Amino acid sequence: MKIGTIIRVVLATSVLTIAIWFVFRGVDIEAMISILTRSNMALLLLSLPIVIASHVVRARRWQTLLIPSGHTTHISTAFNAVMIGYAANMFVPRSGEFIRPWVFSRRESIPVGTALSSVLIERVLDVLSLLIGISCVMFFAPGRFAEILPGFTASGIVLRLGLPIGLLAV
Protein backbone atom coordinates (compact mmCIF):
# COMPACT_ATOMS: atom_id res chain seq x y z
CA MET A 1 0.00 0.00 0.00
CA LYS A 2 1.17 3.53 -0.76
CA ILE A 3 2.05 5.86 2.10
CA GLY A 4 -0.55 8.40 0.89
CA THR A 5 -3.30 5.77 1.11
CA ILE A 6 -2.20 4.78 4.61
CA ILE A 7 -2.21 8.42 5.73
CA ARG A 8 -5.71 8.96 4.30
CA VAL A 9 -7.06 5.84 6.03
CA VAL A 10 -5.49 6.79 9.36
CA LEU A 11 -6.72 10.38 9.03
CA ALA A 12 -10.26 9.30 8.09
CA THR A 13 -10.37 6.79 10.95
CA SER A 14 -9.14 9.45 13.38
CA VAL A 15 -11.74 11.96 12.21
CA LEU A 16 -14.48 9.31 12.47
CA THR A 17 -13.37 8.33 15.99
CA ILE A 18 -13.32 11.96 17.12
CA ALA A 19 -16.72 12.57 15.52
CA ILE A 20 -18.24 9.57 17.29
CA TRP A 21 -16.76 10.70 20.59
CA PHE A 22 -18.04 14.24 19.99
CA VAL A 23 -21.56 13.03 19.19
CA PHE A 24 -21.79 10.67 22.17
CA ARG A 25 -20.05 12.75 24.83
CA GLY A 26 -22.45 13.56 27.63
CA VAL A 27 -25.05 11.10 26.31
CA ASP A 28 -26.63 8.71 28.77
CA ILE A 29 -26.10 5.46 26.84
CA GLU A 30 -28.46 3.46 29.07
CA ALA A 31 -31.27 6.00 28.53
CA MET A 32 -30.58 5.97 24.79
CA ILE A 33 -30.77 2.15 24.65
CA SER A 34 -33.97 2.26 26.71
CA ILE A 35 -35.56 4.71 24.28
CA LEU A 36 -34.45 2.64 21.27
CA THR A 37 -35.90 -0.57 22.73
CA ARG A 38 -39.27 1.16 23.26
CA SER A 39 -39.23 2.64 19.73
CA ASN A 40 -41.01 1.20 16.73
CA MET A 41 -38.03 -0.16 14.79
CA ALA A 42 -40.14 -0.84 11.69
CA LEU A 43 -40.99 2.86 11.37
CA LEU A 44 -37.40 3.80 12.03
CA LEU A 45 -36.14 1.44 9.32
CA LEU A 46 -38.83 2.59 6.89
CA SER A 47 -37.70 6.21 7.34
CA LEU A 48 -34.12 5.48 6.26
CA PRO A 49 -34.89 5.11 2.52
CA ILE A 50 -36.89 8.34 2.66
CA VAL A 51 -33.99 10.21 4.25
CA ILE A 52 -31.50 8.78 1.74
CA ALA A 53 -33.87 9.61 -1.14
CA SER A 54 -34.12 13.22 0.05
CA HIS A 55 -30.33 13.51 -0.08
CA VAL A 56 -30.24 11.93 -3.55
CA VAL A 57 -32.87 14.45 -4.70
CA ARG A 58 -30.78 17.28 -3.27
CA ALA A 59 -27.70 15.97 -5.10
CA ARG A 60 -29.72 15.68 -8.33
CA ARG A 61 -31.08 19.21 -7.90
CA TRP A 62 -27.54 20.50 -7.46
CA GLN A 63 -26.40 18.53 -10.51
CA THR A 64 -29.28 20.06 -12.49
CA LEU A 65 -28.19 23.57 -11.48
CA LEU A 66 -24.77 22.82 -13.02
CA ILE A 67 -26.15 21.78 -16.44
CA PRO A 68 -25.84 25.31 -17.94
CA SER A 69 -22.13 25.34 -17.05
CA GLY A 70 -21.56 22.64 -19.66
CA HIS A 71 -19.71 20.31 -17.30
CA THR A 72 -20.66 16.65 -17.18
CA THR A 73 -21.19 15.56 -13.59
CA HIS A 74 -22.07 12.30 -11.86
CA ILE A 75 -24.87 11.82 -9.35
CA SER A 76 -22.64 9.65 -7.14
CA THR A 77 -20.07 12.44 -6.85
CA ALA A 78 -22.78 15.01 -6.09
CA PHE A 79 -24.29 12.70 -3.45
CA ASN A 80 -20.89 12.10 -1.85
CA ALA A 81 -20.17 15.83 -1.78
CA VAL A 82 -23.56 16.51 -0.16
CA MET A 83 -22.91 13.92 2.53
CA ILE A 84 -19.37 15.25 3.14
CA GLY A 85 -20.91 18.72 3.50
CA TYR A 86 -23.32 17.41 6.14
CA ALA A 87 -20.42 15.78 7.99
CA ALA A 88 -18.47 19.05 7.93
CA ASN A 89 -21.47 20.87 9.38
CA MET A 90 -21.19 18.64 12.44
CA PHE A 91 -17.86 20.28 13.30
CA VAL A 92 -18.31 23.84 12.05
CA PRO A 93 -21.86 24.96 11.26
CA ARG A 94 -22.35 26.04 7.62
CA SER A 95 -18.83 24.95 6.68
CA GLY A 96 -20.38 22.26 4.51
CA GLU A 97 -21.65 24.94 2.15
CA PHE A 98 -18.02 25.66 1.25
CA ILE A 99 -16.56 22.17 1.57
CA ARG A 100 -19.27 20.56 -0.58
CA PRO A 101 -18.47 22.57 -3.75
CA TRP A 102 -14.74 22.28 -3.11
CA VAL A 103 -14.92 18.47 -2.91
CA PHE A 104 -17.23 18.33 -5.91
CA SER A 105 -15.03 20.59 -8.03
CA ARG A 106 -11.93 18.53 -7.26
CA ARG A 107 -13.62 15.22 -8.09
CA GLU A 108 -15.40 16.45 -11.22
CA SER A 109 -12.63 18.77 -12.46
CA ILE A 110 -14.84 21.83 -12.64
CA PRO A 111 -13.90 25.31 -11.39
CA VAL A 112 -14.52 25.89 -7.68
CA GLY A 113 -16.24 29.17 -8.54
CA THR A 114 -18.76 27.34 -10.71
CA ALA A 115 -19.59 24.84 -7.97
CA LEU A 116 -19.70 27.56 -5.31
CA SER A 117 -21.98 29.77 -7.38
CA SER A 118 -24.35 26.85 -7.88
CA VAL A 119 -24.57 26.48 -4.09
CA LEU A 120 -25.33 30.19 -3.82
CA ILE A 121 -28.11 29.85 -6.39
CA GLU A 122 -29.39 26.81 -4.50
CA ARG A 123 -29.56 28.83 -1.27
CA VAL A 124 -31.42 31.68 -3.00
CA LEU A 125 -33.93 29.16 -4.38
CA ASP A 126 -34.30 27.65 -0.89
CA VAL A 127 -35.04 31.06 0.62
CA LEU A 128 -37.54 31.89 -2.12
CA SER A 129 -39.28 28.54 -1.60
CA LEU A 130 -39.46 29.17 2.13
CA LEU A 131 -40.86 32.66 1.58
CA ILE A 132 -43.47 31.29 -0.82
CA GLY A 133 -44.47 28.69 1.77
CA ILE A 134 -44.75 31.33 4.50
CA SER A 135 -46.77 33.53 2.17
CA CYS A 136 -49.18 30.69 1.42
CA VAL A 137 -49.74 30.07 5.12
CA MET A 138 -50.24 33.80 5.72
CA PHE A 139 -52.73 34.03 2.84
CA PHE A 140 -54.69 30.80 3.26
CA ALA A 141 -54.57 30.41 7.07
CA PRO A 142 -53.82 33.73 8.76
CA GLY A 143 -55.32 32.53 12.06
CA ARG A 144 -53.05 29.48 12.05
CA PHE A 145 -50.10 31.74 11.33
CA ALA A 146 -50.84 33.73 14.50
CA GLU A 147 -50.97 30.46 16.48
CA ILE A 148 -47.63 29.29 15.14
CA LEU A 149 -45.85 32.62 15.67
CA PRO A 150 -47.51 34.42 18.59
CA GLY A 151 -46.79 38.13 18.66
CA PHE A 152 -46.36 38.31 14.88
CA THR A 153 -49.07 39.39 12.52
CA ALA A 154 -49.24 38.65 8.82
CA SER A 155 -49.14 42.36 7.97
CA GLY A 156 -46.13 42.93 10.25
CA ILE A 157 -44.25 40.08 8.60
CA VAL A 158 -45.10 41.41 5.13
CA LEU A 159 -43.84 44.87 6.07
CA ARG A 160 -40.60 43.49 7.52
CA LEU A 161 -39.94 41.05 4.70
CA GLY A 162 -41.15 43.22 1.82
CA LEU A 163 -37.75 44.73 1.07
CA PRO A 164 -35.73 41.51 1.33
CA ILE A 165 -38.30 39.65 -0.79
CA GLY A 166 -38.22 42.40 -3.39
CA LEU A 167 -34.42 42.35 -3.49
CA LEU A 168 -34.34 38.57 -3.84
CA ALA A 169 -36.94 38.69 -6.59
CA VAL A 170 -34.88 41.24 -8.52
mmCIF file of all heavy atoms in Angstrom, residues 115-162:
data_model
loop_
_atom_site.group_PDB
_atom_site.id
_atom_site.type_symbol
_atom_site.label_atom_id
_atom_site.label_comp_id
_atom_site.label_asym_id
_atom_site.label_seq_id
_atom_site.Cartn_x
_atom_site.Cartn_y
_atom_site.Cartn_z
ATOM 1 N N ALA A 115 -18.898 25.650 -8.978
ATOM 2 C CA ALA A 115 -19.588 24.841 -7.971
ATOM 3 C C ALA A 115 -20.102 25.710 -6.831
ATOM 4 O O ALA A 115 -21.225 25.527 -6.354
ATOM 5 C CB ALA A 115 -18.660 23.755 -7.449
ATOM 6 N N LEU A 116 -19.292 26.683 -6.403
ATOM 7 C CA LEU A 116 -19.697 27.559 -5.310
ATOM 8 C C LEU A 116 -20.874 28.445 -5.714
ATOM 9 O O LEU A 116 -21.806 28.650 -4.924
ATOM 10 C CB LEU A 116 -18.507 28.417 -4.866
ATOM 11 C CG LEU A 116 -18.634 29.155 -3.554
ATOM 12 C CD1 LEU A 116 -18.903 28.197 -2.410
ATOM 13 C CD2 LEU A 116 -17.367 29.942 -3.274
ATOM 14 N N SER A 117 -20.859 28.934 -6.939
ATOM 15 C CA SER A 117 -21.977 29.774 -7.383
ATOM 16 C C SER A 117 -23.264 28.964 -7.484
ATOM 17 O O SER A 117 -24.348 29.485 -7.230
ATOM 18 C CB SER A 117 -21.653 30.452 -8.709
ATOM 19 O OG SER A 117 -21.499 29.492 -9.734
ATOM 20 N N SER A 118 -23.152 27.682 -7.828
ATOM 21 C CA SER A 118 -24.354 26.847 -7.881
ATOM 22 C C SER A 118 -24.937 26.651 -6.488
ATOM 23 O O SER A 118 -26.162 26.592 -6.318
ATOM 24 C CB SER A 118 -24.056 25.502 -8.529
ATOM 25 O OG SER A 118 -23.203 24.723 -7.709
ATOM 26 N N VAL A 119 -24.080 26.584 -5.468
ATOM 27 C CA VAL A 119 -24.566 26.477 -4.089
ATOM 28 C C VAL A 119 -25.253 27.776 -3.686
ATOM 29 O O VAL A 119 -26.292 27.761 -3.020
ATOM 30 C CB VAL A 119 -23.407 26.133 -3.126
ATOM 31 C CG1 VAL A 119 -23.834 26.255 -1.677
ATOM 32 C CG2 VAL A 119 -22.896 24.733 -3.400
ATOM 33 N N LEU A 120 -24.706 28.905 -4.113
ATOM 34 C CA LEU A 120 -25.327 30.194 -3.823
ATOM 35 C C LEU A 120 -26.711 30.273 -4.461
ATOM 36 O O LEU A 120 -27.680 30.696 -3.820
ATOM 37 C CB LEU A 120 -24.434 31.339 -4.314
ATOM 38 C CG LEU A 120 -24.976 32.752 -4.112
ATOM 39 C CD1 LEU A 120 -25.110 33.063 -2.626
ATOM 40 C CD2 LEU A 120 -24.078 33.757 -4.775
ATOM 41 N N ILE A 121 -26.817 29.857 -5.710
ATOM 42 C CA ILE A 121 -28.112 29.847 -6.392
ATOM 43 C C ILE A 121 -29.076 28.907 -5.675
ATOM 44 O O ILE A 121 -30.256 29.219 -5.479
ATOM 45 C CB ILE A 121 -27.946 29.445 -7.873
ATOM 46 C CG1 ILE A 121 -27.218 30.549 -8.629
ATOM 47 C CG2 ILE A 121 -29.294 29.144 -8.527
ATOM 48 C CD1 ILE A 121 -26.762 30.159 -10.009
ATOM 49 N N GLU A 122 -28.568 27.762 -5.229
ATOM 50 C CA GLU A 122 -29.391 26.805 -4.495
ATOM 51 C C GLU A 122 -29.939 27.427 -3.210
ATOM 52 O O GLU A 122 -31.117 27.260 -2.870
ATOM 53 C CB GLU A 122 -28.547 25.572 -4.174
ATOM 54 C CG GLU A 122 -29.304 24.440 -3.550
ATOM 55 C CD GLU A 122 -28.388 23.273 -3.250
ATOM 56 O OE1 GLU A 122 -27.201 23.472 -2.906
ATOM 57 O OE2 GLU A 122 -28.885 22.141 -3.331
ATOM 58 N N ARG A 123 -29.114 28.171 -2.505
ATOM 59 C CA ARG A 123 -29.559 28.828 -1.269
ATOM 60 C C ARG A 123 -30.619 29.889 -1.563
ATOM 61 O O ARG A 123 -31.584 30.031 -0.820
ATOM 62 C CB ARG A 123 -28.370 29.487 -0.552
ATOM 63 C CG ARG A 123 -27.433 28.536 0.071
ATOM 64 C CD ARG A 123 -28.075 27.839 1.284
ATOM 65 N NE ARG A 123 -27.675 26.459 1.299
ATOM 66 C CZ ARG A 123 -28.480 25.410 1.153
ATOM 67 N NH1 ARG A 123 -29.761 25.573 1.012
ATOM 68 N NH2 ARG A 123 -28.024 24.196 1.168
ATOM 69 N N VAL A 124 -30.424 30.662 -2.633
ATOM 70 C CA VAL A 124 -31.416 31.679 -3.001
ATOM 71 C C VAL A 124 -32.749 31.001 -3.323
ATOM 72 O O VAL A 124 -33.817 31.451 -2.884
ATOM 73 C CB VAL A 124 -30.923 32.540 -4.188
ATOM 74 C CG1 VAL A 124 -32.036 33.395 -4.750
ATOM 75 C CG2 VAL A 124 -29.751 33.412 -3.752
ATOM 76 N N LEU A 125 -32.708 29.898 -4.062
ATOM 77 C CA LEU A 125 -33.933 29.161 -4.375
ATOM 78 C C LEU A 125 -34.578 28.599 -3.114
ATOM 79 O O LEU A 125 -35.814 28.594 -2.988
ATOM 80 C CB LEU A 125 -33.647 28.045 -5.377
ATOM 81 C CG LEU A 125 -33.254 28.496 -6.780
ATOM 82 C CD1 LEU A 125 -32.872 27.298 -7.645
ATOM 83 C CD2 LEU A 125 -34.385 29.282 -7.423
ATOM 84 N N ASP A 126 -33.771 28.144 -2.165
ATOM 85 C CA ASP A 126 -34.304 27.647 -0.892
ATOM 86 C C ASP A 126 -35.033 28.757 -0.133
ATOM 87 O O ASP A 126 -36.126 28.549 0.402
ATOM 88 C CB ASP A 126 -33.189 27.073 -0.015
ATOM 89 C CG ASP A 126 -32.699 25.727 -0.489
ATOM 90 O OD1 ASP A 126 -33.376 25.095 -1.334
ATOM 91 O OD2 ASP A 126 -31.623 25.298 -0.028
ATOM 92 N N VAL A 127 -34.418 29.937 -0.087
ATOM 93 C CA VAL A 127 -35.043 31.061 0.619
ATOM 94 C C VAL A 127 -36.337 31.471 -0.072
ATOM 95 O O VAL A 127 -37.353 31.717 0.590
ATOM 96 C CB VAL A 127 -34.060 32.253 0.724
ATOM 97 C CG1 VAL A 127 -34.769 33.513 1.192
ATOM 98 C CG2 VAL A 127 -32.918 31.917 1.656
ATOM 99 N N LEU A 128 -36.320 31.537 -1.395
ATOM 100 C CA LEU A 128 -37.537 31.893 -2.122
ATOM 101 C C LEU A 128 -38.637 30.863 -1.885
ATOM 102 O O LEU A 128 -39.809 31.226 -1.689
ATOM 103 C CB LEU A 128 -37.253 32.036 -3.618
ATOM 104 C CG LEU A 128 -36.480 33.284 -4.024
ATOM 105 C CD1 LEU A 128 -36.138 33.255 -5.510
ATOM 106 C CD2 LEU A 128 -37.264 34.541 -3.688
ATOM 107 N N SER A 129 -38.289 29.592 -1.874
ATOM 108 C CA SER A 129 -39.277 28.543 -1.599
ATOM 109 C C SER A 129 -39.858 28.689 -0.199
ATOM 110 O O SER A 129 -41.069 28.548 0.003
ATOM 111 C CB SER A 129 -38.643 27.156 -1.731
ATOM 112 O OG SER A 129 -38.172 26.954 -3.018
ATOM 113 N N LEU A 130 -39.006 28.977 0.759
ATOM 114 C CA LEU A 130 -39.461 29.174 2.129
ATOM 115 C C LEU A 130 -40.390 30.383 2.221
ATOM 116 O O LEU A 130 -41.442 30.323 2.877
ATOM 117 C CB LEU A 130 -38.258 29.355 3.053
ATOM 118 C CG LEU A 130 -38.545 29.485 4.541
ATOM 119 C CD1 LEU A 130 -39.220 28.233 5.073
ATOM 120 C CD2 LEU A 130 -37.254 29.743 5.298
ATOM 121 N N LEU A 131 -40.019 31.461 1.565
ATOM 122 C CA LEU A 131 -40.864 32.657 1.584
ATOM 123 C C LEU A 131 -42.204 32.409 0.905
ATOM 124 O O LEU A 131 -43.234 32.913 1.361
ATOM 125 C CB LEU A 131 -40.129 33.831 0.927
ATOM 126 C CG LEU A 131 -38.928 34.368 1.699
ATOM 127 C CD1 LEU A 131 -38.214 35.440 0.882
ATOM 128 C CD2 LEU A 131 -39.347 34.908 3.053
ATOM 129 N N ILE A 132 -42.205 31.640 -0.158
ATOM 130 C CA ILE A 132 -43.467 31.294 -0.823
ATOM 131 C C ILE A 132 -44.335 30.461 0.119
ATOM 132 O O ILE A 132 -45.544 30.685 0.231
ATOM 133 C CB ILE A 132 -43.204 30.562 -2.155
ATOM 134 C CG1 ILE A 132 -42.650 31.539 -3.179
ATOM 135 C CG2 ILE A 132 -44.477 29.896 -2.678
ATOM 136 C CD1 ILE A 132 -42.107 30.884 -4.443
ATOM 137 N N GLY A 133 -43.717 29.505 0.816
ATOM 138 C CA GLY A 133 -44.466 28.686 1.773
ATOM 139 C C GLY A 133 -45.054 29.523 2.894
ATOM 140 O O GLY A 133 -46.221 29.354 3.263
ATOM 141 N N ILE A 134 -44.253 30.439 3.442
ATOM 142 C CA ILE A 134 -44.750 31.325 4.503
ATOM 143 C C ILE A 134 -45.879 32.197 3.977
ATOM 144 O O ILE A 134 -46.896 32.398 4.658
ATOM 145 C CB ILE A 134 -43.599 32.189 5.072
ATOM 146 C CG1 ILE A 134 -42.619 31.313 5.854
ATOM 147 C CG2 ILE A 134 -44.132 33.305 5.962
ATOM 148 C CD1 ILE A 134 -41.333 32.028 6.253
ATOM 149 N N SER A 135 -45.724 32.691 2.767
ATOM 150 C CA SER A 135 -46.771 33.532 2.169
ATOM 151 C C SER A 135 -48.067 32.755 1.987
ATOM 152 O O SER A 135 -49.159 33.294 2.226
ATOM 153 C CB SER A 135 -46.309 34.072 0.815
ATOM 154 O OG SER A 135 -45.155 34.852 0.976
ATOM 155 N N CYS A 136 -47.971 31.511 1.583
ATOM 156 C CA CYS A 136 -49.176 30.688 1.420
ATOM 157 C C CYS A 136 -49.892 30.494 2.747
ATOM 158 O O CYS A 136 -51.125 30.587 2.817
ATOM 159 C CB CYS A 136 -48.821 29.326 0.812
ATOM 160 S SG CYS A 136 -48.386 29.401 -0.921
ATOM 161 N N VAL A 137 -49.125 30.224 3.802
ATOM 162 C CA VAL A 137 -49.738 30.068 5.124
ATOM 163 C C VAL A 137 -50.376 31.379 5.557
ATOM 164 O O VAL A 137 -51.498 31.388 6.080
ATOM 165 C CB VAL A 137 -48.702 29.586 6.167
ATOM 166 C CG1 VAL A 137 -49.275 29.633 7.578
ATOM 167 C CG2 VAL A 137 -48.233 28.181 5.836
ATOM 168 N N MET A 138 -49.690 32.494 5.330
ATOM 169 C CA MET A 138 -50.237 33.798 5.725
ATOM 170 C C MET A 138 -51.510 34.103 4.955
ATOM 171 O O MET A 138 -52.446 34.676 5.500
ATOM 172 C CB MET A 138 -49.197 34.904 5.484
ATOM 173 C CG MET A 138 -48.088 34.881 6.490
ATOM 174 S SD MET A 138 -46.710 36.047 6.243
ATOM 175 C CE MET A 138 -47.312 37.310 5.209
ATOM 176 N N PHE A 139 -51.574 33.717 3.683
ATOM 177 C CA PHE A 139 -52.730 34.034 2.842
ATOM 178 C C PHE A 139 -53.899 33.086 3.107
ATOM 179 O O PHE A 139 -55.040 33.519 3.254
ATOM 180 C CB PHE A 139 -52.327 33.981 1.367
ATOM 181 C CG PHE A 139 -53.440 34.331 0.424
ATOM 182 C CD1 PHE A 139 -53.861 35.644 0.277
ATOM 183 C CD2 PHE A 139 -54.076 33.340 -0.307
ATOM 184 C CE1 PHE A 139 -54.886 35.966 -0.585
ATOM 185 C CE2 PHE A 139 -55.112 33.652 -1.175
ATOM 186 C CZ PHE A 139 -55.516 34.969 -1.309
ATOM 187 N N PHE A 140 -53.621 31.787 3.166
ATOM 188 C CA PHE A 140 -54.686 30.800 3.262
ATOM 189 C C PHE A 140 -55.104 30.490 4.700
ATOM 190 O O PHE A 140 -56.224 30.023 4.924
ATOM 191 C CB PHE A 140 -54.294 29.499 2.556
ATOM 192 C CG PHE A 140 -54.194 29.645 1.070
ATOM 193 C CD1 PHE A 140 -52.962 29.551 0.435
ATOM 194 C CD2 PHE A 140 -55.314 29.898 0.299
ATOM 195 C CE1 PHE A 140 -52.858 29.698 -0.936
ATOM 196 C CE2 PHE A 140 -55.221 30.048 -1.069
ATOM 197 C CZ PHE A 140 -53.990 29.945 -1.702
ATOM 198 N N ALA A 141 -54.235 30.718 5.669
ATOM 199 C CA ALA A 141 -54.569 30.412 7.068
ATOM 200 C C ALA A 141 -53.955 31.451 8.010
ATOM 201 O O ALA A 141 -53.090 31.131 8.815
ATOM 202 C CB ALA A 141 -54.081 29.014 7.417
ATOM 203 N N PRO A 142 -54.427 32.698 7.915
ATOM 204 C CA PRO A 142 -53.819 33.735 8.759
ATOM 205 C C PRO A 142 -53.997 33.464 10.256
ATOM 206 O O PRO A 142 -53.123 33.802 11.058
ATOM 207 C CB PRO A 142 -54.525 35.026 8.332
ATOM 208 C CG PRO A 142 -55.726 34.597 7.588
ATOM 209 C CD PRO A 142 -55.468 33.227 7.059
ATOM 210 N N GLY A 143 -55.112 32.849 10.645
ATOM 211 C CA GLY A 143 -55.317 32.525 12.057
ATOM 212 C C GLY A 143 -54.309 31.497 12.540
ATOM 213 O O GLY A 143 -53.784 31.588 13.650
ATOM 214 N N ARG A 144 -54.039 30.517 11.707
ATOM 215 C CA ARG A 144 -53.052 29.482 12.052
ATOM 216 C C ARG A 144 -51.655 30.083 12.143
ATOM 217 O O ARG A 144 -50.860 29.682 12.982
ATOM 218 C CB ARG A 144 -53.100 28.384 10.980
ATOM 219 C CG ARG A 144 -52.204 27.242 11.235
ATOM 220 C CD ARG A 144 -52.789 26.315 12.284
ATOM 221 N NE ARG A 144 -51.916 25.162 12.393
ATOM 222 C CZ ARG A 144 -51.396 24.742 13.527
ATOM 223 N NH1 ARG A 144 -51.697 25.333 14.649
ATOM 224 N NH2 ARG A 144 -50.592 23.715 13.543
ATOM 225 N N PHE A 145 -51.390 31.052 11.304
ATOM 226 C CA PHE A 145 -50.096 31.739 11.326
ATOM 227 C C PHE A 145 -49.879 32.409 12.679
ATOM 228 O O PHE A 145 -48.805 32.328 13.258
ATOM 229 C CB PHE A 145 -50.036 32.770 10.194
ATOM 230 C CG PHE A 145 -48.708 33.447 10.067
ATOM 231 C CD1 PHE A 145 -47.657 32.821 9.420
ATOM 232 C CD2 PHE A 145 -48.497 34.700 10.609
ATOM 233 C CE1 PHE A 145 -46.429 33.442 9.309
ATOM 234 C CE2 PHE A 145 -47.269 35.323 10.505
ATOM 235 C CZ PHE A 145 -46.227 34.690 9.852
ATOM 236 N N ALA A 146 -50.933 33.064 13.204
ATOM 237 C CA ALA A 146 -50.836 33.733 14.501
ATOM 238 C C ALA A 146 -50.626 32.712 15.618
ATOM 239 O O ALA A 146 -49.956 33.007 16.612
ATOM 240 C CB ALA A 146 -52.085 34.561 14.757
ATOM 241 N N GLU A 147 -51.179 31.506 15.474
ATOM 242 C CA GLU A 147 -50.969 30.457 16.479
ATOM 243 C C GLU A 147 -49.522 29.969 16.471
ATOM 244 O O GLU A 147 -48.944 29.713 17.525
ATOM 245 C CB GLU A 147 -51.878 29.254 16.201
ATOM 246 C CG GLU A 147 -53.341 29.481 16.472
ATOM 247 C CD GLU A 147 -54.159 28.273 16.049
ATOM 248 O OE1 GLU A 147 -53.599 27.158 15.959
ATOM 249 O OE2 GLU A 147 -55.358 28.448 15.804
ATOM 250 N N ILE A 148 -48.982 29.816 15.278
ATOM 251 C CA ILE A 148 -47.628 29.286 15.144
ATOM 252 C C ILE A 148 -46.597 30.301 15.638
ATOM 253 O O ILE A 148 -45.641 29.937 16.316
ATOM 254 C CB ILE A 148 -47.345 28.904 13.671
ATOM 255 C CG1 ILE A 148 -48.248 27.752 13.249
ATOM 256 C CG2 ILE A 148 -45.893 28.527 13.473
ATOM 257 C CD1 ILE A 148 -48.231 27.474 11.759
ATOM 258 N N LEU A 149 -46.786 31.554 15.281
ATOM 259 C CA LEU A 149 -45.854 32.618 15.675
ATOM 260 C C LEU A 149 -46.584 33.682 16.489
ATOM 261 O O LEU A 149 -46.964 34.727 15.953
ATOM 262 C CB LEU A 149 -45.208 33.257 14.442
ATOM 263 C CG LEU A 149 -44.306 32.364 13.612
ATOM 264 C CD1 LEU A 149 -43.929 33.045 12.317
ATOM 265 C CD2 LEU A 149 -43.060 31.987 14.385
ATOM 266 N N PRO A 150 -46.799 33.411 17.786
ATOM 267 C CA PRO A 150 -47.509 34.422 18.591
ATOM 268 C C PRO A 150 -46.717 35.733 18.655
ATOM 269 O O PRO A 150 -45.499 35.734 18.738
ATOM 270 C CB PRO A 150 -47.618 33.768 19.967
ATOM 271 C CG PRO A 150 -46.690 32.613 19.971
ATOM 272 C CD PRO A 150 -46.371 32.273 18.551
ATOM 273 N N GLY A 151 -47.443 36.819 18.608
ATOM 274 C CA GLY A 151 -46.787 38.126 18.658
ATOM 275 C C GLY A 151 -46.477 38.684 17.280
ATOM 276 O O GLY A 151 -46.093 39.832 17.149
ATOM 277 N N PHE A 152 -46.600 37.858 16.244
ATOM 278 C CA PHE A 152 -46.358 38.309 14.882
ATOM 279 C C PHE A 152 -47.676 38.311 14.128
ATOM 280 O O PHE A 152 -48.478 37.394 14.245
ATOM 281 C CB PHE A 152 -45.377 37.377 14.157
ATOM 282 C CG PHE A 152 -43.983 37.447 14.682
ATOM 283 C CD1 PHE A 152 -43.536 36.549 15.638
ATOM 284 C CD2 PHE A 152 -43.115 38.428 14.240
ATOM 285 C CE1 PHE A 152 -42.253 36.612 16.131
ATOM 286 C CE2 PHE A 152 -41.824 38.499 14.728
ATOM 287 C CZ PHE A 152 -41.391 37.594 15.679
ATOM 288 N N THR A 153 -47.890 39.340 13.368
ATOM 289 C CA THR A 153 -49.074 39.394 12.516
ATOM 290 C C THR A 153 -48.634 39.253 11.064
ATOM 291 O O THR A 153 -47.477 39.545 10.726
ATOM 292 C CB THR A 153 -49.819 40.732 12.690
ATOM 293 O OG1 THR A 153 -48.952 41.797 12.269
ATOM 294 C CG2 THR A 153 -50.254 40.939 14.127
ATOM 295 N N ALA A 154 -49.561 38.816 10.241
ATOM 296 C CA ALA A 154 -49.243 38.648 8.823
ATOM 297 C C ALA A 154 -48.807 39.972 8.207
ATOM 298 O O ALA A 154 -47.833 40.039 7.454
ATOM 299 C CB ALA A 154 -50.444 38.072 8.081
ATOM 300 N N SER A 155 -49.507 41.062 8.551
ATOM 301 C CA SER A 155 -49.143 42.364 7.965
ATOM 302 C C SER A 155 -47.769 42.827 8.455
ATOM 303 O O SER A 155 -46.998 43.416 7.696
ATOM 304 C CB SER A 155 -50.213 43.404 8.290
ATOM 305 O OG SER A 155 -50.346 43.554 9.691
ATOM 306 N N GLY A 156 -47.451 42.563 9.730
ATOM 307 C CA GLY A 156 -46.135 42.931 10.251
ATOM 308 C C GLY A 156 -45.017 42.177 9.556
ATOM 309 O O GLY A 156 -43.968 42.741 9.245
ATOM 310 N N ILE A 157 -45.251 40.892 9.299
ATOM 311 C CA ILE A 157 -44.250 40.082 8.595
ATOM 312 C C ILE A 157 -44.078 40.596 7.166
ATOM 313 O O ILE A 157 -42.953 40.706 6.673
ATOM 314 C CB ILE A 157 -44.659 38.591 8.585
ATOM 315 C CG1 ILE A 157 -44.676 38.029 10.001
ATOM 316 C CG2 ILE A 157 -43.755 37.776 7.690
ATOM 317 C CD1 ILE A 157 -43.330 37.901 10.647
ATOM 318 N N VAL A 158 -45.180 40.903 6.504
ATOM 319 C CA VAL A 158 -45.101 41.407 5.126
ATOM 320 C C VAL A 158 -44.313 42.712 5.087
ATOM 321 O O VAL A 158 -43.465 42.910 4.210
ATOM 322 C CB VAL A 158 -46.513 41.587 4.526
ATOM 323 C CG1 VAL A 158 -46.464 42.361 3.221
ATOM 324 C CG2 VAL A 158 -47.176 40.240 4.315
ATOM 325 N N LEU A 159 -44.564 43.603 6.039
ATOM 326 C CA LEU A 159 -43.840 44.873 6.069
ATOM 327 C C LEU A 159 -42.349 44.664 6.319
ATOM 328 O O LEU A 159 -41.512 45.316 5.705
ATOM 329 C CB LEU A 159 -44.422 45.795 7.140
ATOM 330 C CG LEU A 159 -45.796 46.386 6.832
ATOM 331 C CD1 LEU A 159 -46.324 47.164 8.029
ATOM 332 C CD2 LEU A 159 -45.733 47.281 5.605
ATOM 333 N N ARG A 160 -42.003 43.725 7.206
ATOM 334 C CA ARG A 160 -40.595 43.490 7.521
ATOM 335 C C ARG A 160 -39.862 42.727 6.427
ATOM 336 O O ARG A 160 -38.659 42.894 6.251
ATOM 337 C CB ARG A 160 -40.469 42.718 8.827
ATOM 338 C CG ARG A 160 -40.836 43.541 10.019
ATOM 339 C CD ARG A 160 -40.626 42.788 11.301
ATOM 340 N NE ARG A 160 -41.081 43.592 12.422
ATOM 341 C CZ ARG A 160 -41.577 43.106 13.522
ATOM 342 N NH1 ARG A 160 -41.674 41.808 13.680
ATOM 343 N NH2 ARG A 160 -41.956 43.889 14.491
ATOM 344 N N LEU A 161 -40.584 41.861 5.724
ATOM 345 C CA LEU A 161 -39.941 41.052 4.698
ATOM 346 C C LEU A 161 -40.115 41.605 3.294
ATOM 347 O O LEU A 161 -39.558 41.064 2.350
ATOM 348 C CB LEU A 161 -40.477 39.610 4.745
ATOM 349 C CG LEU A 161 -40.125 38.800 5.984
ATOM 350 C CD1 LEU A 161 -40.737 37.421 5.889
ATOM 351 C CD2 LEU A 161 -38.628 38.702 6.156
ATOM 352 N N GLY A 162 -40.885 42.666 3.153
ATOM 353 C CA GLY A 162 -41.148 43.223 1.824
ATOM 354 C C GLY A 162 -39.885 43.601 1.070
ATOM 355 O O GLY A 162 -39.712 43.238 -0.096
#
